[in-house]
Structure formats: structure tokens, C-alpha cells
Amino acid sequence: MHAIILAAGRGSRLHGLTSDRPKCLIELHGEPLLAKVMRSLQDAGCASFTIVAGYHEHLVRAFVASNGYRAQVVVNAAWATTNMVQSLLAAGKVLQRQRCIVSYSDIFYSSEIVADLARSKGPIAISYDPDGRQLWSDRFAEPLNDIETFRLNRDGTLAEIGEAVADLADVQGQYMGLLRFDPNGFADFFNCLQRIPKRRQLTASMTEVLSLLVKAGKRVTCVPNAWPWGELDTPADVVYFERRYRRTPGSP
């Protein structure tokens, strides 16, 4: 399995932590997030990587070279004015020809969820946390300002994602930033994106396009995660997750 890591952004909400490095290289328990992500992907069977860099791309290249990873680095030159979707498109040639795991680089997770995602059926699959409401309530004083809708159909496929939330009781899970595409699934994703105005394409979020796919009747498989994971958006998140998960052998 090939893995694509979206690592172009700075992460402005991390303030000084990313003044001299991209978001993917901030540390949790003394280890860069990118190292944690690549280890989990490797442990789940991903043998090769494409990393989409942008902000301080030279540091990402240096990290890859110094650690001996089998990885190609491509660049989203417009990282400062675009979103995750445009970083995904920077790896489009790879996605067109093979099945890929796609991971954000501001998250960490166990290899078990990657393995579950790799085994899932359908052209597109995403991982989600069924207990995401609790995690967001722990992290944010006003969780409704950050969390998005996530609803499932009875067969476990995606029914709704990415809308504003009025009541946490309406949230059935939390999208994690971990996906799997088959070539046909990426083609559906790309075609959905092309149907919206060009200017909106440049700033579209991943959940926005996933929502468009669902509305177009496309099947998105949802894979529940019961393993440790986290997302670092703010300096407070670093403190929170270092307390929540102690560093132990085999931990994500």
C-alpha cells in the first residue's frame, strides 16, 4: 500500500510553535508528528510514501533524507492560499494509478486503524472516532465552534459531514483526517470538485468535497476507530495529548 501525507501547511493556530518549521514537524513527547505518522503507516504495511510539502519544504526534505525513508516529496506551492484538497491534487498522478492511504500530518494514530482502513471496501473510505464528541468537549471550551456534523447511514456509509453543528447530540462521530482512495474513488472525488466554481475549488476543504460526493449519491465507507489518536491544532493540544497519552513503547 502506498501512503500520501498532506504536510504543506504551517498551522497558524499553533502560533510560535511553527514560526520556524511546518506543522508536521512540531513535536509530541519529543518526536515530530511526521515521524509518528510514518511509523504508524509503515507498521500497517505502507511501503512507500508521497509527502506533499509547502511551508518550509526544505525541512521536510531534510527530515526524509536524514531518516532514510522511501518517500517522494512533491510541493503545493500555493499552500498559503489553498486547503487540503489542493495538496491532495498535488499527488493526483499517484492517486490515479493505485490504491492509497491519505493522511493529514497534524494528527497521530495507531497502526491498527490504518490496517482497518486498508481492509475496508468501496472506492473511498474514511476513518472516524465514534467518541469524537467527548474528545472535542475535552479540548475546546466551546466545542460547537470547531466540530462539524458527522452522520452515518444504517449501512455504515457516510450520510452527512462538514456542516455547522447546533447540538453535540447530533454528532455521531469525528472525521480524523485519515482516508483511503481507490483510483475510481479519486476520479469521483476529482469530478465532484470540478463541478464547483474555480475560485471555490482553491479553498475547498476535504469535508466539503466529501459532502458533495454524498449529495451526488457516491458511497463513502466509514471505518470506526477505537485506538489512541489525536490532532494538534493549538499549543494547548500539545499539552493535552502529552498528558492524555504517556510515551510508551509502541505508542502512536
Side-chain angles (χ1 to χ4, degrees):
M1 181 77 73
H2 187 81
I4 296 169
I5 303 172
L6 307 181
R10 172 176 178 171
S12 59
R13 286 193 287 175
L14 285 157
H15 304 297
L17 292 179
T18 56
S19 61
D20 61 350
R21 72 191 71 184
K23 191 176 185 181
C24 65
L25 294 181
I26 65 170
E27 294 183 347
L28 185 70
H29 293 124
E31 182 180 35
L33 279 178
L34 187 54
K36 292 180 177 294
V37 167
M38 297 187 79
R39 182 174 63 250
S40 291
L41 291 166
Q42 283 184 320
D43 288 349
C46 294
S48 57
F49 300 87
T50 297
I51 302 175
V52 183
Y55 176 65
H56 282 319
E57 65 171 278
H58 66 288
L59 295 179
V60 175
R61 293 184 188 277
F63 172 85
V64 169
S66 64
N67 288 278
Y69 290 112
R70 183 185 171 195
Q72 172 193 21
V73 178
V74 298
V75 176
N76 173 9
W79 64 267
T81 56
T82 60
N83 214 319
M84 288 286 192
V85 170
Q86 293 302 311
S87 289
L88 183 73
L89 297 185
K93 290 183 179 179
V94 180
L95 287 154
Q96 288 170 1
R97 64 175 183 260
Q98 62 184 299
R99 204 172 202 234
C100 296
I101 297 291
V102 175
S103 175
Y104 291 9
S105 63
D106 60 352
I107 58 179
F108 65 94
Y109 44 83
S110 296
S111 60
E112 288 87 353
I113 184 57
V114 182
D116 289 344
L117 189 60
R119 287 190 294 264
S120 63
K121 306 297 183 182
I124 302 175
I126 63 174
S127 298
Y128 76 98
D129 180 2
D131 296 322
R133 288 180 301 177
Q134 185 60 54
L135 180 61
W136 251 241
S137 295
D138 289 347
R139 291 174 60 207
F140 298 102
E142 299 292 339
L144 289 178
N145 293 339
D146 192 84
I147 202 167
E148 298 177 330
T149 57
F150 189 96
R151 291 194 307 107
L152 300 170
N153 295 310
R154 289 187 178 181
D155 64 356
T157 58
L158 187 63
E160 182 182 357
I161 193 170
E163 305 295 337
V165 175
D167 186 341
L168 281 180
D170 296 331
V171 179
Q172 293 181 292
Q174 179 61 42
Y175 166 69
M176 295 170 55
L178 191 60
L179 311 90
R180 195 257 310 136
F181 286 96
D182 287 356
N184 288 340
F186 177 67
D188 287 341
F189 183 96
F190 183 81
N191 289 336
C192 258
L193 182 66
Q194 298 308 302
R195 297 191 188 109
I196 65 178
K198 182 66 175 179
R199 182 174 296 179
R200 186 173 155 207
Q201 290 178 33
L202 296 176
T203 57
S205 68
M206 197 74 75
T207 55
E208 183 178 356
V209 183
L210 289 171
S211 178
L212 291 173
L213 279 164
V214 170
K215 291 173 182 176
K218 301 299 181 180
R219 180 184 177 91
V220 178
T221 302
C222 297
V223 181
N225 174 47
W227 306 96
W229 84 285
E231 176 184 33
L232 302 190
D233 275 334
T234 67
D237 284 337
V238 179
V239 175
Y240 171 78
F241 284 111
E242 286 192 336
R243 289 175 177 170
R244 182 181 176 98
Y245 300 122
R246 294 181 180 179
R247 187 173 188 177
T248 58
S251 64

